[in-house]
Amino acid sequence: MTFDFNNKNVLITGGSRGIGKATAQLFADAGANVSITFRYGETEASQVLKLLGNGSHMSYHLDLTNPEAVEDFFVRYQKDWGSVDILINNAGIFKEHKILESSYTHWLDSWKETLDTNLTGAANMCFFASKIMVSQGSGKIVNVSSRGAFRGEPDCPAYGASKAGLNAMSQSLAIALAPHNISVHLVAPGFVETEMASTVLNGSRGDEIRAQSPFGRVARPEEVARLVAVYASEGMQFTSGGIADINGASYLRS
Ligand SMILES: NC(=O)c1ccc[n+]([C@@H]2O[C@H](COP(=O)([O-])OP(=O)(O)OC[C@H]3O[C@@H](n4cnc5c(N)ncnc54)[C@H](OP(=O)(O)O)[C@@H]3O)[C@@H](O)[C@H]2O)c1
């Protein structure tokens, strides 16, 4: 399948590495003007921009846990680009906080940081992007969820909860924004070969995790990027509110 996003303004959070980087590459190759955000990875983000090659692409510093920073970011973004055709809420964190082993402080910190980033951060991005999309009469939002929302995350319960919340939030927005010609979709990957999952995949559970899929492997970031692009494509409006699994048949929900 080839994609055509010629001259579309695409905004991807967490584009400095992993799935966000692969997604930025796919959209740039398909002709989009790509903006990526990063939190700490300024050097990585500039390297991604170089990889994207010719075309109009930019990177922005943005800490999603800071609501004022999100508001300020959109003022700058709108000055630079004027419109946002596609928003991809990809940035996220995955931090271990086992219920029986964590101190209460670590438990509280993990819940706060995880929800602020994965859920409220994405909600705030939708808040400002949807205002622009309503004024331009159309828009597409794709949010990166996780298999963990359905299967559970015993070592990272806040992560599972944040992604379940992201699903519910996105489906609510799909209803609220449909009259404005805006679609909201979710993709839900199982494990993906990125920095986020590297400790687990390179550790003692790596083989067991790969064996969860009958394909005997985890997803590649490029595969997730393709699924995001499908939902962001023209002609996919009526699937709004949908959640697409990408987990190599490792977890089949009904
Ligand atoms: N990898 C997996 O196995 C897997 C499975 C299911 C779902 N997912 C989801 O896929 C998405 C991408 O994951 P990934 O594996 O590509 O992760 P990754 O390699 O760890 O990259 C995460 C990205 O999010 C950014 N980020 C983190 N916290 C941020 C914050 N507070 N403000 C702004 N940006 C922030 C990071 O920026 P800096 O580099 O600048 O810190 C980085 O660009 C996440 O939502 C994740 O939950 C991943």
Side-chain angles (χ1 to χ4, degrees):
M1 183 190 277
T2 52
F3 296 103
D4 179 6
F5 293 107
N6 202 30
N7 228 17
K8 297 284 184 200
N9 290 339
V10 178
L11 171 55
I12 305 169
T13 63
S16 55
R17 53 199 163 92
I19 295 167
K21 177 181 173 182
T23 306
Q25 186 74 66
L26 186 157
F27 278 89
D29 291 347
N33 308 315
V34 176
S35 298
I36 58 170
T37 74
F38 62 92
R39 177 188 43 167
Y40 300 135
E42 184 165 11
T43 310
E44 290 84 352
S46 352
Q47 285 162 355
V48 172
L49 283 191
K50 277 192 199 132
L51 282 177
L52 300 188
N54 295 334
S56 306
H57 310 299
M58 279 179 81
S59 72
Y60 297 84
H61 173 258
L62 174 60
D63 181 352
L64 285 168
T65 63
N66 178 345
E68 287 79 30
V70 176
E71 184 168 20
D72 293 346
F73 162 77
F74 270 96
V75 171
R76 193 171 157 210
Y77 178 88
Q78 217 175 346
K79 229 182 250 168
D80 290 343
W81 296 100
S83 68
V84 56
D85 298 301
I86 298 166
L87 166 67
I88 300 159
N89 278 305
N90 162 76
I93 57 163
F94 180 80
K95 277 195 157 177
E96 192 173 283
H97 50 285
K98 293 181 180 164
I99 188 161
L100 298 180
E101 292 169 28
S102 299
S103 68
Y104 192 40
T105 305
H106 178 63
W107 175 260
L108 289 178
D109 289 347
S110 303
W111 273 90
K112 179 160 176 34
E113 196 188 349
T114 304
L115 291 180
D116 282 356
T117 310
N118 297 2
L119 179 55
T120 314
N124 294 345
M125 291 298 292
C126 290
F127 180 86
F128 289 106
S130 65
K131 311 270 186 238
I132 303 174
M133 289 174 175
V134 167
S135 71
Q136 68 203 19
S138 66
K140 293 172 187 300
I141 298 173
V142 184
N143 294 335
V144 181
S145 183
S146 171
R147 181 185 71 166
F150 305 105
R151 191 175 181 263
E153 291 287 356
D155 298 342
C156 306
Y159 180 83
S162 72
K163 295 299 188 177
L166 184 69
N167 292 348
M169 183 270 288
S170 306
Q171 291 182 322
S172 300
L173 296 189
I175 302 168
L177 297 174
H180 302 280
N181 203 22
I182 299 168
S183 61
V184 186
H185 289 96
L186 294 129
V187 302
F191 275 98
V192 188
E193 278 168 4
T194 69
E195 222 171 295
M196 177 180 277
S198 62
T199 313
V200 182
L201 293 176
N202 297 330
S204 56
R205 289 189 57 222
D207 286 344
E208 176 245 310
I209 288 168
R210 281 178 282 278
Q212 287 172 357
S213 164
F215 292 105
R217 66 174 180 87
V218 299
R220 302 178 187 110
E222 295 74 20
E223 292 172 311
V224 182
R226 288 180 72 79
L227 187 57
V228 169
V230 168
Y231 268 160
S233 299
E234 288 307 317
M236 291 302 286
Q237 185 181 65
F238 219 62
T239 48
S240 191
I243 307 174
D245 294 318
I246 171 159
N247 63 38
S250 65
Y251 187 74
L252 301 175
R253 63 194 168 90
S254 47

